[in-house]
Amino acid sequence: MIPGTFEYHRPGSLDEAVTLLTKFGDEGRMIAGGHSLVPMMKLRLAVPEHLIDLGHVESLQGIEITGQSIEIGAMTTQHDLIASDSLVETCPLLREAALTIADPQVRYRGTIGGNVANGDPGNDMPAVMQSLGASYVLHGPSGTRQVAARAFYEAAYFTAREDDEILTAINIPVPAPGHGFAYEKLKRKVGDYAIAAAAVVLTMDGGTCDSAAIALTNVGDTPIHAEAMGESLVGTAVDDGAIAKAVAAAKAAASPAADLRGPRDYRAHAAGVMAGRAIKRALARVKT
Amino acid sequence: MSDASEMTLEQREATIGGIGCARRRKEDVRFIQGKGNYVDDVKLPGQVFGDFVRSPHAHARIKSIDTEKALAVPGVLAVLTANDLKPLNLHWMPTLAGDSQAVLADEKVHFQNQEVAFVIGEDRYAVSDGVQAVEIDYEDLPVLVDPKQALAKDAPVLREDAAAKDDVGQGPRKHPNHIFNWDVGDKGATDKAFAGAAVTVKEDVLYQRVHPCPLEPCGCVASMDKITGELTVYGTFQAPHVVRTIVSLIAGLPEHKIRVIAPDIGGGFGNKVGAYPGYVCSVVGTIVLGRPVKWVENRIDNISTTAFARDYHMTGELAADEDGRITGLRVYVLADHGAFNAHAQPTKWPAGLFSIVTGSYDIPAAHVSVDGVYTNKAPGGVAYRCSFRVTEASYLIERMIDVLAQKVGLDKAEIRARNFIKPEQFPYTSCLGWDYDSGDYPRALAKVLDAVDYKGLREEQAEKRERGELMGIGIATFTEIVGAGPSRNCDILGIGMFDSCEIRVHPTGSAIARLGTKSQGQGHETTYAQIIATELGLPSDDIAVEEGDTDTAPYGLGTYGSRSTPVAGAAAAHAARKIRAKAQKIAAHMLEVAEGDLEWEIDRFKVKGLPEKVATMKQIAFAAYQSLPEGMEPGLEAVNYYDPPNFTYPFGAYLCVVDVDRLTGEVKVRRFYALDDCGTRINPMIIEGQVHGGLTEAFAIAMGQELIFDETGNIQGASLMDYFVPTAVETPVWETGHTVTPSPHHPIGAKGVGESPNVGGVSAFSNAVVDAFAHLDVTHMPMPHTPWRVWKQCEALGIGE
Ligand SMILES: Cc1cc2nc3c(=O)[nH]c(=O)nc-3n(C[C@H](O)[C@H](O)[C@H](O)COP(=O)(O)OP(=O)(O)OC[C@H]3O[C@@H](n4cnc5c(N)ncnc54)[C@H](O)[C@@H]3O)c2cc1C
């Protein structure tokens, strides 16, 4: 339970951080809240020789809501998300999801940037970001680019981010006023990663659904956003029949591994149950 | 100073704060301020650290160990292997069960994470790097995980060291992987009961392998003074005196040269009874280096290598008449003891007190047979918050009586009432030979059914079932056997299981008591002081209680199996009574009357008929050091070693209501009512705390705890990420109640309570879950009742979608 030897660096600016990253290459690793990385280091599953602490890079902090867009700095903690009233007003799904992560102590340290950049299929925020249609701002030696959350995850711990890029911020299009939302997470206990979880964002026009996005957590190598799940709701009244179709699509999209949370069939089934419950709750929350 | 004589009787009682008083726990003042003194807080000058290189394999031959690179790591001082311990004959150590256990793997490893080498260094960091640098070459051997395969003809032989022995400590063996067979009861009479029975039921009931997982893992600091030749060992010891005797026996040091100190302990639950390789290696380390050596486990070490509990693969059978009256009980147990037989039971009891399996019921004939076997898993088999194998026994009978109820179509409360040992049958001798001291089971059950409106709950359940909803009601009416124990049938390594108390009253009327037990959170400093306060008439606030230092405390067998109050608590009462007897003589002298003219009242002796002529205990204490009757020794102290005449038999009636989500398999505990009868109640608040804690652990076991191994013996989920330790969020709300049926043979009538809730709780939870499916003809579901397992049951019944 003692990490290997490492050197600790604390850059004061983004450029300095990028320089260090470039310099150390494979031997360097960013640390944000440390609540995914440090446990791995203590088990010596990760043995970085240089730790580059992003905690003092001012430009990575803060939540900004402007017109049609929400920008959240990578070093914003999960607690900050929960505590931000303006964020809760514009995009309440983030608080609901953040509250299912671990416990207050972890949420005080763990950051949104670390959560989405980590690439662990157990992390909750990636599916949430996919359901919201968010994109990530990546900054590296050759400049800045944006990648959609739906296109970011390649395999467990593999993402579209290059090793020398820093995820600086998350951009979320402001969801339509009155939208329905829900994050349903089935877990064994506080502090557990999901057996299965589902994020749902939908809008209704009169009695008809005109947009729906569903994404799943921890039932595959990556978070799963399947167009089919949302599309089966669009144009319907989100009645039992439509929900059943979406649930079937969610179950079909899920391909969980067996672990101590349960065998594959159970976890895929649970993904369907979570999706169904999230849809119903999202629908009930729609304001017209 | 307020004059006690002006106080009312009630005020004087209140000042004493004795038996029955819900005073706050004395020890909590330091605990809640983070000022406890645990093993890892012990820091001695020059102290170094040790940690193990552990085997990644469950069964393998060690071909070579290369320590050169490790020794080159800066700060590493020494690396011990079995070969280094051999000349001292310390590479193996005796277990409490008469087997031996490798201290450092000797040619072979027998379970994953087994200790192979011990690296000692200046600090934890150097040691950690040193551990990584030790190079070991293994040759894999076939792994035996399933105890059902252990006795197969072609099973791999695990213990080559013991293969040729026909006894490894607990009786004859029939296979190289067989440890013992234990057979009790009347087989002929039992077979006859089954042959003629109107109804019989049979069920395979596994009580899964779990781990007590105390918040503080195990550890020690060993320090050898090379000048005086004295060895001091601080450690997480539930039984410090036993540890000293074992160290003396295996290290060949005389006992007076060994001082064992158990400082504050952060939970034990049986996990801290045994002796572990870490203790031996730390002792060797300090002898070799002449510096104190600290070893403290991490969580994974604790869960995967130090003593587990249960792992009883049981088959239960009941025979009954048409009315559900039980006529016979038959039990077979395959006990998985892991790689070494290191379970902690009184030495002559290879299955502990499992023969309490007839429970609260008047069963005329029973037969029990237990086979212990070796597998490639960590050794252990401790009593996790229960008396020796009592939880396993209680779980079996409480499950089986439900199975029988379903078969004969009787209500689960009614079948219990029909089979109870009746109040007028006490003292009662069970067909397996136990002498139950006292009990009133029907009253306890009736009180619980009344408190929860049992009839109403069953009606609600029937309505819910109509609607396809799953609701379960679980009942457990358990009887424990605690307070081991009478030395005629209980010993550990030949030492009778008595316990002890030494009390010294100081001149100003305060006192210190030292006992042979060791609190791990049970509140001994509070409870013992209350017993002594009532017996001596001195305020419990003025009575200090000390345990855990073998240089100062009288010899005792330690704390486990709910034995502290039944055994050491009795010693405390007897020692106090000796003091009071002397005090009476002094009072007679002070008041110039005959001893027989005095009567005791709360805190003083009064002259009969002259109520104003009194000598308070405080006054007597002073006199004991100054004005004594002719020829009497000065001072006011006494010691008592108490060998209990019998065990005590606490009991209870628990009821649990659950709702099951058939789509996710989640079980929600809606209500839990626990009625306990532990005889005389010393501190009701502590009892309630013990019940809450025990129920929470029972909940953990029934709903989630399990040590799982894959087919190659890799342990799964040995950290708190997976191993279920409930937080306040998961823990149900507990309702408690009590009845009081004192033990007739205990000096204050107390029976012990710390473990009852774990014993009764597990059955109540499990019975509730199965009851939710009873109308669908389900008779048993394996623990733990995790969501996926419960959902699998729903799926099998076609109600999971
Ligand atoms: C007990 C416990 C329970 C938990 N339960 C959950 C849970 O239920 N759900 C959940 O989602 N999470 C859970 N977590 C993880 C927690 O939310 C982490 O805080 C989070 O996943 C990572 O954020 P961090 O800031 O701690 O990142 P770190 O641990 O510091 O970093 C994680 C990884 O991301 C990289 N990284 C960090 N920041 C950036 C960046 N800006 N750009 C590029 N790469 C970066 C790091 O190099 C590292 O590889 C749990 C953690 C603990 C300890």
Side-chain angles (χ1 to χ4, degrees):
Chain A
M1 281 301 173
I2 296 203
T5 310
F6 58 86
E7 283 215 36
Y8 173 81
H9 306 269
R10 194 162 64 194
S13 71
L14 197 56
D15 284 345
E16 206 185 317
V18 173
T19 308
L20 287 168
L21 266 182
T22 317
K23 180 171 161 200
F24 297 124
D26 275 358
E27 291 167 4
R29 191 87 176 254
M30 283 171 269
I31 181 163
H35 274 54
S36 285
L37 183 56
V38 173
M40 304 266 276
M41 288 170 61
K42 286 170 127 187
L43 292 166
R44 299 202 179 194
L45 293 173
V47 272
E49 287 176 37
H50 296 272
L51 270 191
I52 301 158
D53 186 348
L54 300 180
H56 287 247
V57 180
E58 197 80 33
S59 61
L60 298 178
Q61 310 275 352
I63 301 168
E64 218 171 299
I65 305 173
T66 47
Q68 286 313 298
S69 158
I70 303 168
E71 184 169 290
I72 305 173
M75 288 303 291
T76 305
T77 65
Q78 285 140 9
H79 169 76
D80 294 336
L81 298 181
I82 294 166
S84 163
D85 289 339
S86 54
L87 192 60
V88 170
E89 217 166 279
T90 37
C91 189
L93 177 61
L94 291 174
R95 177 189 274 179
E96 177 158 306
L99 281 169
T100 71
I101 295 176
D103 51 54
Q105 281 154 304
V106 172
R107 299 197 293 259
Y108 284 132
R109 295 286 311 165
T111 66
I112 183 79
N115 199 300
V116 299
N118 193 28
D120 180 341
N123 282 132
D124 289 291
M125 283 302 178
V128 172
M129 294 306 165
Q130 291 188 335
S131 73
L132 289 166
S135 53
Y136 304 150
V137 183
L138 302 174
H139 180 82
S142 45
T144 300
R145 62 182 179 126
Q146 293 220 15
V147 179
R150 292 176 188 175
F152 186 71
Y153 300 97
E154 294 166 352
Y157 299 102
F158 285 94
T159 66
R161 185 181 66 82
E162 298 297 332
D163 282 349
D164 53 7
E165 284 181 310
I166 298 177
L167 191 154
T168 57
I170 296 166
N171 271 319
I172 305 170
V174 171
H179 70 284
F181 65 92
Y183 191 63
E184 282 282 347
K185 177 174 175 181
L186 182 63
K187 57 182 175 180
R188 295 171 298 178
K189 59 178 178 182
V190 160
D192 193 18
Y193 292 91
I195 296 169
V200 170
V201 176
L202 57 79
T203 56
M204 300 289 287
D205 185 7
T208 310
C209 173
D210 63 3
S211 77
I214 305 175
L216 308 173
T217 297
N218 214 19
V219 284
D221 251 13
T222 63
I224 297 169
H225 169 263
E227 302 281 346
M229 299 188 272
E231 267 165 18
S232 56
L233 297 177
V234 176
T236 74
V238 195
D239 49 18
D240 286 353
I243 294 174
K245 274 197 195 132
V247 166
K251 262 166 81 168
S255 64
D259 67 7
L260 297 179
R261 295 177 183 83
R264 296 170 57 101
D265 58 345
Y266 169 67
R267 298 189 60 203
H269 160 83
V273 176
M274 291 301 105
R277 289 183 183 176
I279 294 167
K280 283 185 191 151
R281 222 149 47 77
L283 183 66
R285 281 165 160 173
V286 170
K287 287 194 207 94
T288 39
Chain B
M1 197 181 98
S2 76
D3 185 355
S5 64
E6 286 164 15
M7 293 197 239
T8 64
L9 287 177
E10 290 74 28
Q11 284 168 331
R12 278 162 49 205
E13 288 273 16
T15 307
I16 294 299
I19 292 173
C21 156
R23 68 198 281 253
R24 292 202 177 157
R25 301 195 341 156
K26 251 185 180 171
E27 41 274 85
D28 288 347
V29 175
R30 63 179 189 279
F31 291 150
I32 62 175
Q33 296 184 77
K35 296 287 197 262
N37 180 42
Y38 297 93
V39 163
D40 208 19
D41 296 319
V42 174
K43 294 185 175 71
L44 302 180
Q47 174 179 291
V48 296
F49 295 83
D51 197 3
F52 287 105
V53 181
R54 297 180 178 278
S55 167
H57 307 278
H59 197 196
R61 211 169 291 290
I62 297 173
K63 290 167 69 185
S64 67
I65 303 180
D66 187 346
T67 61
E68 205 183 300
K69 287 200 183 115
L71 285 166
V73 170
V76 169
L77 301 168
V79 180
L80 301 176
T81 64
N83 281 339
D84 300 310
L85 301 183
K86 251 174 221 171
L88 307 164
N89 203 24
L90 285 176
H91 54 314
W92 288 77
M93 63 179 181
T95 69
L96 292 177
D99 194 1
S100 39
Q101 172 174 355
V103 172
L104 290 172
D106 183 19
E107 295 173 23
K108 257 182 82 171
V109 290
H110 292 91
F111 63 93
Q112 191 185 41
N113 288 354
Q114 187 180 342
E115 303 81 1
V116 182
F118 191 67
V119 177
I120 305 173
E122 292 287 351
D123 56 49
R124 291 177 201 261
Y125 305 96
V127 171
S128 201
D129 291 343
V131 165
Q132 295 259 309
V134 174
E135 291 172 333
I136 303 171
D137 198 9
Y138 295 98
E139 178 194 322
D140 274 322
L141 294 170
V143 174
L144 178 62
V145 176
D146 181 358
K148 295 198 180 80
Q149 303 302 318
L151 303 182
K153 266 213 186 73
D154 55 351
V157 173
L158 305 193
R159 292 285 304 282
E160 286 164 3
D161 63 293
K165 296 185 188 161
D166 37 56
D167 186 326
V168 282
Q170 292 189 308
R173 311 164 70 201
K174 59 184 184 198
H175 184 285
N177 295 330
H178 188 233
I179 307 172
F180 63 84
N181 174 265
W182 189 61
D183 192 281
V184 280
D186 186 337
K187 186 166 184 314
T190 307
D191 289 346
K192 225 169 114 194
F194 274 85
V199 189
T200 62
V201 287
K202 180 172 182 177
E203 200 72 64
D204 287 330
V205 177
L206 166 64
Y207 200 136
Q208 78 274 18
R209 179 175 277 237
V210 292
H211 194 278
C213 198
L215 282 188
E216 177 204 29
C218 301
C220 71
V221 181
S223 177
M224 183 73 179
D225 184 327
K226 288 228 165 175
I227 310 299
T228 61
E230 279 168 17
L231 173 70
T232 305
V233 186
Y234 298 83
T236 47
F237 306 132
Q238 292 183 226
H241 292 277
V242 178
V243 168
R244 187 184 59 180
T245 302
I246 294 175
V247 171
S248 172
L249 290 172
I250 66 183
L253 287 169
E255 261 182 287
H256 73 286
K257 292 281 192 191
I258 305 169
R259 180 177 184 189
V260 171
I261 301 174
D264 284 329
I265 297 183
F269 313 114
N271 181 240
K272 293 170 180 167
V273 171
Y276 296 123
Y279 306 154
V280 179
C281 289
S282 301
V283 168
V284 173
T286 186
I287 292 173
V288 171
L289 294 171
R291 291 171 70 178
V293 177
K294 178 186 276 189
W295 164 75
V296 176
E297 289 181 316
N298 67 33
R299 181 64 58 194
I300 294 174
D301 299 341
N302 179 249
I303 296 180
S304 65
T305 69
T306 46
F308 73 93
R310 329 293 193 229
D311 217 346
Y312 257 34
H313 301 245
M314 306 183 275
T315 304
E317 288 177 82
L318 285 176
D321 65 20
E322 303 80 0
D323 301 327
R325 278 196 185 77
I326 302 169
T327 53
L329 164 68
R330 199 188 274 145
V331 185
Y332 175 71
V333 182
L334 184 64
D336 184 343
H337 283 228
F340 306 100
N341 186 25
H343 68 155
Q345 314 293 339
T347 301
K348 290 189 207 92
W349 299 89
L353 310 177
F354 185 83
S355 49
I356 194 70
V357 66
T358 54
S360 306
Y361 314 109
D362 187 13
I363 300 178
H367 177 247
V368 177
S369 175
V370 183
D371 280 311
V373 297
Y374 291 126
T375 58
N376 287 121
K377 300 178 196 161
V382 292
Y384 170 5
R385 203 171 185 146
C386 72
S387 192
F388 313 98
R389 301 290 188 193
V390 171
T391 306
E392 291 91 324
S394 186
Y395 181 60
L396 184 81
I397 187 66
E398 289 303 313
R399 272 287 41 248
M400 288 313 298
I401 199 165
D402 270 19
V403 175
L404 178 65
Q406 287 182 213
K407 173 95 174 210
V408 295
L410 261 186
D411 176 83
K412 287 166 182 169
E414 173 57 26
I415 196 165
R416 288 175 161 81
R418 270 186 208 180
N419 284 288
F420 275 150
I421 300 162
K422 311 264 171 309
E424 59 276 15
Q425 286 175 279
F426 288 93
Y428 170 87
T429 303
S430 75
C431 66
L432 293 178
W434 296 114
D435 297 316
Y436 291 43
D437 57 351
S438 64
D440 189 342
Y441 305 151
R443 175 173 66 147
L445 178 59
K447 214 176 152 180
V448 171
L449 299 182
D450 204 41
V452 300
D453 180 20
Y454 181 66
K455 213 171 135 269
L457 284 172
R458 284 291 178 200
E459 283 162 10
E460 183 193 344
Q461 183 186 42
E463 283 165 27
K464 287 225 154 110
R465 285 176 173 172
E466 289 288 313
R467 277 182 269 140
E469 290 170 34
L470 300 173
M471 166 184 167
I473 304 166
I475 302 174
T477 45
F478 63 94
T479 293
E480 271 200 286
I481 170 169
V482 308
S487 59
R488 68 180 179 299
N489 44 25
C490 289
D491 69 84
I492 286 185
L493 301 173
I495 300 165
M497 291 183 72
F498 59 82
D499 225 292
S500 58
C501 176
E502 192 180 279
I503 304 173
R504 181 179 309 156
V505 180
H506 309 309
T508 52
S510 63
I512 182 164
R514 296 190 170 101
L515 298 99
T517 48
K518 176 63 205 172
S519 184
Q520 307 122 42
Q522 293 91 336
H524 289 178
E525 289 169 48
T526 311
T527 303
Y528 287 144
Q530 287 178 246
I531 297 174
I532 296 167
T534 291
E535 295 291 339
L536 279 188
L538 293 172
S540 51
D541 283 342
D542 296 345
I543 300 167
V545 171
E546 252 183 43
E547 301 174 296
D549 182 342
T550 55
D551 264 13
T552 56
Y555 201 104
L557 277 274
T559 293
Y560 42 84
S562 283
R563 63 187 302 282
S564 298
T565 297
V567 190
H574 279 299
R577 284 173 194 180
K578 284 188 193 172
I579 291 177
R580 200 164 90 190
K582 180 172 180 183
Q584 186 163 2
K585 291 194 168 67
I586 300 172
H589 175 69
M590 288 163 70
L591 299 169
E592 297 175 328
V593 294
E595 244 187 277
D597 293 334
L598 294 173
E599 59 185 359
W600 175 253
E601 185 189 84
I602 303 173
D603 54 359
R604 67 195 56 185
F605 285 103
K606 297 196 304 191
V607 178
K608 288 177 191 159
L610 290 171
E612 64 298 334
K613 272 199 92 173
V614 302
T616 66
M617 201 64 192
K618 227 174 145 80
Q619 292 163 337
I620 299 168
F622 206 78
Y625 288 86
Q626 172 228 13
S627 55
L628 292 150
E630 189 68 31
M632 185 184 276
E633 270 181 55
L636 200 53
E637 58 182 88
V639 57
N640 179 263
Y641 280 73
Y642 182 77
D643 184 4
N646 189 4
F647 292 88
T648 61
Y649 297 76
F651 61 94
Y654 289 0
L655 189 139
C656 172
V657 186
V658 299
D659 296 301
V660 178
D661 183 333
R662 62 186 176 80
L663 296 183
T664 60
E666 287 171 292
V667 175
K668 183 134 187 52
V669 176
R670 187 205 306 178
R671 191 158 186 200
F672 198 103
Y673 191 97
L675 179 143
D676 276 286
D677 191 322
C678 58
T680 302
R681 293 160 61 82
I682 299 164
N683 183 320
M685 184 197 67
I686 288 187
I687 291 173
E688 194 168 13
Q690 290 290 307
V691 171
H692 284 195
L695 290 175
T696 305
E697 279 183 328
F699 170 73
I701 293 169
M703 297 305 181
Q705 292 188 342
E706 183 179 23
L707 298 181
I708 303 167
F709 296 81
D710 69 12
E711 66 282 3
T712 52
N714 297 309
I715 187 164
Q716 312 286 298
S719 83
L720 296 187
M721 191 77 240
D722 289 300
Y723 194 72
F724 181 47
V725 176
T727 71
V729 175
E730 290 83 35
T731 303
V733 172
W734 312 118
E735 295 171 69
T736 56
H738 65 273
T739 54
V740 177
T741 313
S743 168
H745 65 75
H746 187 273
I748 62 166
K751 289 186 169 186
V753 75
E755 302 172 328
S756 300
N758 198 324
V759 173
V762 173
S763 317
F765 290 115
S766 199
N767 283 349
V769 174
V770 180
D771 187 64
F773 293 87
H775 59 303
L776 304 170
D777 288 334
V778 174
T779 53
H780 182 68
M781 289 161 65
M783 282 198 292
H785 305 292
T786 53
W788 74 263
R789 274 211 187 80
V790 174
W791 179 76
K792 279 281 179 192
Q793 179 69 73
C794 294
E795 196 205 20
L797 294 166
I799 56 170
E801 296 290 333

